[in-house]
Amino acid sequence: MVVESGTYAKDPANRRIAIARYDRPRGGILVGARPVTGSRDTGGQLAYTRTYRDGPLYAPVTGFASQTYGTSLLEGTEDGLLAGTSPQLASVPLWSEITRDRQRPGDVHTTIDAAAQQAAYAGLAGRRGAVAALDPATGRILALVSSPSYDPGLLAGTGPEVAEQWRRLNDDPAQPMLDRAIRQTYPPGSTFKVVTAAAALESGAVTDLGAPTRSPDPYRLPGTTWSLTNEGRGCADASVLDAFRVSCNTVFAKLGADVGLAAMVRQAEAFGFNDTRLRIPPGVAKSNFDRTMSPDQVALSSIGQFDTTATPLQMAMVAAAVGNGGELMRPYLVDRVTNHGGAVVQHTRPQPLHRAVSQGTAARLRQLMEAVVSDGTGTNAAIPGAVVGGKTGTAQHGVGNKGTPYAWFISYARPLGSSRASVAVAVVVEDAEAARADISGGGSAAPIARAVMQAVLAAPPRP
């Protein structure tokens, strides 16, 4: 029995495993000091089923724990700790492995800031989209919201009602169970110009942000007869500073083509693109920047078009690296795990992920992003008493660019007198009302980012 215990435990015909799994309350997932999950005694053979407080608000964080359909997101990655089967909870881990003795479940303490999460959820107001917010100095994920959402409690138990809810949610064209913040990628549009500006500065292609760029308007893509234009005027030969502030596609497409494929790939990957191994601990979809492209494709990719795609978390990482002096910290969602007695059995320590850009380049990128908010397309993100940097964007997609536009805004904020940002945010709204211009990101997404940043800045300092 001891030797074959692992095989018996995995046998789907062994109903004792399921009965034992649900014979006690599951450990809690906490936001701050408040559990957002619980357990309810059903009186049945599978004694305890999962409950959720503010289920739709926290579903992109918790995921679901279902007696019928298994687990997802934190309920899945932390299942052993929440169910009490992890040897980390045992006083004698090796003996626990041999005997398969269950400990009392542990609790998972998230990094989420409740006020920031609520601000993001209220800002989206049911529209399709997502918000991701980070502490740039540590990588702590402060908000992770996907809309529309769902109540994980609908899937917790067994029986025909649960099966019907599963079918309904999976058939819903709005995809409420899709975690858009970490599992959906979008063309980032003009928010990607932060990456292009970084590549130009790091490579030496740009040394003076105020110098004319010799960029024609319209700009003919290299090797083609197709010309790129701008929504507004004043982009011909505009400086990088002015082109970034009012978001000139022609300037940044030419800049990306001049910098070249190798440098653009190197810079995108320094910010986290093309990473297939990122875990927070739930897996994050890969944000894409093609490694093989023709010059015209490089030009389009440099303004967030062609095959370039990003998760909202990825674009929050871009803003966070800029706000943190060029150092990109590894994002994480679990602060610590405690056992039933409250002792910490697992603690996440902040870790650098990449040096995205030099400190000097980061300072000049902050100059660009802060000009967007003070006197550009992102004035809706301004916060009195704080320094805010941002970048708007609208990404067209679909055949002939006729799909619903994606309105983007990425930003960071720091208190006056502070050298490092306290919060970085990315917002994407699948906005049918968005005008086909870069400014729409400022109108649809920037107010949401502002509300999230204000919530974080207003919070008391962490001990």
Side-chain angles (χ1 to χ4, degrees), residues 219-411:
Y219 167 62
R220 192 173 70 182
L221 295 177
T224 76
T225 58
W226 194 77
S227 291
L228 189 67
T229 59
N230 299 290
E231 293 286 345
R233 298 180 179 179
C235 289
D237 295 330
S239 67
V240 170
L241 181 60
D242 286 338
F244 193 91
R245 182 175 57 82
V246 300
S247 206
C248 297
N249 284 338
T250 51
V251 172
F252 280 88
K254 181 178 184 296
L255 199 56
D258 290 347
V259 167
L261 175 63
M264 285 299 300
V265 169
R266 186 165 56 248
Q267 186 60 72
E269 293 183 349
F271 276 114
F273 282 78
N274 296 336
D275 187 348
T276 59
R277 297 177 294 178
L278 184 62
R279 303 287 185 271
I280 61 172
V284 179
K286 184 191 81 166
S287 296
N288 183 70
F289 190 83
D290 283 358
R291 291 173 172 149
T292 303
M293 289 186 280
S294 59
D296 60 307
Q297 293 167 341
V298 174
L300 288 174
S301 296
S302 299
I303 56 172
Q305 297 183 18
F306 188 53
D307 285 341
T308 301
T309 57
T311 62
L313 178 63
Q314 170 61 73
M315 295 314 296
M317 291 164 62
V318 171
V322 175
N324 193 44
E327 187 80 69
L328 176 60
M329 303 300 289
R330 182 180 295 277
Y332 64 98
L333 187 55
V334 175
D335 179 70
R336 65 192 184 280
V337 176
T338 55
N339 65 17
H340 70 277
V344 176
V345 298
Q346 177 183 305
H347 188 267
T348 305
R349 300 188 182 279
Q351 293 181 334
L353 184 62
H354 298 292
R355 164 57 69 175
V357 293
S358 68
Q359 289 190 9
T361 294
R364 289 193 281 181
L365 291 173
R366 288 196 298 273
Q367 181 183 350
L368 295 176
M369 293 181 71
E370 288 164 19
V372 168
V373 176
S374 64
D375 188 32
T377 59
T379 55
N380 280 339
I383 299 173
V387 177
V388 179
K391 184 70 190 80
T392 52
T394 300
Q396 290 90 32
H397 69 107
V399 177
N401 285 338
K402 293 182 180 179
T404 300
Y406 300 135
W408 278 93
F409 192 73
I410 66 172
S411 59

Side-chain angles (χ1 to χ4, degrees), residues 147-161:
S147 179
S149 190
Y150 72 105
D151 184 355
L154 297 173
L155 305 176
T158 60
E161 290 185 4

